[in-house]
Amino acid sequence: MSCSSLEALTRCSVAVDLGAARTRVYAKGAGLVVDQPSAVAVNTHSGALIAVGQAAERMAGRTPQHIQVIRPVSNGHVVDIEMARRMVRTLISERLRGLKRRRTMQRALAVVPHDADPLMRRAAVETLTGVGARHVELVEAPIAAAIGCGLPVVRAEGAMVLVCGTTTTQIAVVSLGAVVAGGTVNLGGETVHHSVVQYLRNRHELLLPSQDVRPLHLALLGSGGVGDRRGGGSGNTIEVQGRDVVSGLARTVAVDPEELRGAVQTPLTGLLDTIRAVLHRCPPDLVADLAERGMVLAGGTALLPGLAEQLREHTGMAVHVAREPDLCAINGLAAMMTHGAGVADEGAAPWEPDPTRTDPLSGGREVIGGPSAVTAAEAAVPVPEQEAG
């Protein structure tokens, strides 16, 4: 991505991050106006829209047969254009009503996976044009996340970023505003979710409610995190309540976190193999930069307990977790809309993490990135008034 193309992004007034888990919308002059789950509840008989966002998320697994909870975004791209349009239109209609006179949706900015094919890109464009955007600019997710992390993306230096999403993890080495080498692996929050649920079903004949999976993720922290087989046998078991597969009655079993670590070992191995393949395709000069700088984890799954430690141990590289990793992509879009080619100044000095700052959710790991780019962008540049349309 050249400086000229970055400069063109300043004409956009709305940035949209359509994720498999959450949809986020940033608007100039209003900040982050939407941060809701990417879910829609519809009546299958009439086609009427019942709920979107958080309200639809709470209905998952609790609806009668005539109500269906649909997730129109999967693996980072739109799979149901019509439902995605209805979801975005409903989410932004109330928040952007006061900004319509400024033609807020005239030019929009959206995130797509770095390996998105033309059909995926067209689906993202049609989703936003269907809600009023006349022109849509697309930015690859690793580029947006790297800028949101504060990495020197447009300089002739290598930077490695892992966008850990809900269903997939994108690994990319960026330099001069473009992805030099990248790969995608099926590892994310949903992958861990299904691995844990499937293990409990096979090993303990227990069906687990979806809301009880997150505490099991956190239980991994007490004995090393995902994939860590050291220090087993601590005896710290956790009680899990679910439904018996055979009888259908409620039952409680005691589970050792060591068992859960083994359940997620297979997808973690695929992530390590993909990282090695990406590094193998990089020029030696960029690999030298990465050896000095390390890799940065962005995305909501970056806070999965033990993930950074496992990557550090198996790759020998420094691993840093971005501050507010789930907001890195939308923060990067906000910075590009506000500063344009000025994001090149982020790499004016050699990039180094600040070891004095940590995030309480990161378990004491190093956290990079300054204040939220959304806040910084709003404070730095006033929003000019546009002609009323």
Side-chain angles (χ1 to χ4, degrees):
M1 182 179 297
S2 64
C3 291
S4 60
S5 60
L6 283 171
E7 199 66 44
L9 299 182
T10 59
R11 296 193 295 269
C12 297
S13 54
V14 170
V16 181
D17 180 12
L18 286 172
R22 302 186 73 84
T23 294
R24 297 180 174 91
V25 179
Y26 168 87
K28 279 186 177 180
L32 189 64
V33 295
V34 173
D35 187 358
Q36 292 283 334
S38 301
V40 181
V42 296
N43 188 318
T44 57
H45 293 166
S46 63
L49 194 66
I50 298 177
V52 298
Q54 188 67 40
E57 181 83 3
R58 290 195 297 265
M59 294 182 183
R62 298 180 174 88
T63 61
Q65 293 184 353
H66 68 281
I67 298 178
Q68 183 180 8
V69 177
I70 300 175
R71 300 185 181 276
V73 183
S74 177
N75 296 334
H77 62 272
V78 179
V79 294
D80 190 331
I81 296 177
E82 180 58 31
M83 285 300 169
R85 285 176 176 174
R86 299 176 70 179
M87 177 185 70
V88 174
R89 184 183 297 112
T90 303
L91 290 175
I92 68 177
S93 60
E94 294 294 332
R95 304 305 302 271
L96 298 183
R97 179 174 299 174
L99 301 175
K100 285 184 178 180
R101 63 185 181 85
R102 301 184 180 182
R103 298 180 180 178
T104 303
M105 286 297 295
Q106 187 171 8
R107 299 181 70 91
L109 192 60
V111 173
V112 293
H114 77 91
D115 56 352
D117 56 35
L119 289 179
M120 297 179 185
R121 295 174 179 269
R122 182 177 179 181
V125 171
E126 290 187 357
T127 298
L128 296 183
T129 55
V131 296
R134 296 185 181 180
H135 184 78
V136 180
E137 296 279 357
L138 300 180
V139 178
E140 295 182 349
I143 300 294
I147 293 177
C149 292
L151 294 175
V153 174
V154 297
R155 295 187 63 188
E157 298 180 5
M160 189 173 192
V161 59
L162 274 66
V163 184
C164 307
T166 303
T167 55
T168 61
T169 295
Q170 301 177 57
I171 303 103
V173 176
V174 298
S175 178
L176 292 175
V179 176
V180 178
T184 303
V185 61
N186 293 325
L187 173 65
E190 286 295 325
T191 309
V192 177
H193 172 102
H194 291 303
S195 298
V196 171
V197 170
Q198 192 64 32
Y199 174 81
L200 292 175
R201 180 186 178 95
N202 297 337
R203 178 67 176 82
H204 298 282
E205 297 183 346
L206 192 73
L207 292 177
L208 192 67
S210 58
Q211 65 269 18
D212 289 344
V213 177
R214 178 60 181 171
L216 292 182
H217 291 181
L218 299 178
L220 297 175
L221 183 61
S223 51
V226 296
D228 190 351
R229 296 181 177 275
R230 299 169 300 177
S234 61
N236 296 326
T237 59
I238 53 177
E239 291 187 351
V240 180
Q241 184 176 10
R243 190 183 70 181
D244 189 272
V245 174
V246 179
S247 66
L249 302 177
R251 183 163 64 93
T252 302
V253 299
V255 179
D256 188 343
E258 175 69 19
E259 304 178 42
L260 303 182
R261 293 197 299 273
V264 300
Q265 182 64 35
T266 300
L268 181 62
T269 301
L271 174 61
L272 297 173
D273 292 341
T274 305
I275 292 176
R276 296 188 185 100
V278 170
L279 292 175
H280 184 72
R281 296 197 300 269
C282 287
D285 291 340
L286 287 182
V287 175
D289 293 341
L290 300 179
E292 178 182 355
R293 178 175 288 121
M295 68 180 73
V296 181
L297 304 185
T301 311
L303 295 176
L304 187 66
L307 177 61
E309 287 77 7
Q310 286 296 301
L311 293 177
R312 185 181 298 113
E313 177 182 351
H314 287 86
T315 63
M317 300 173 59
V319 180
H320 313 283
V321 180
R323 182 176 297 277
E324 296 183 329
D326 53 335
L327 298 179
C328 284
I330 194 67
N331 285 352
L333 295 181
M336 284 186 282
M337 284 198 310
T338 305
H339 300 295
V343 298
D345 297 334
E346 296 291 335
W351 175 86
E352 293 181 358
D354 185 356
T356 63
R357 294 188 332 212
T358 57
D359 191 333
L361 293 178
S362 65
R365 293 165 293 195
E366 291 177 297
V367 179
I368 71 164
S372 171
V374 173
T375 305
E378 287 299 319
V381 179
V383 181
E385 290 285 343
Q386 300 179 5
E387 296 180 359

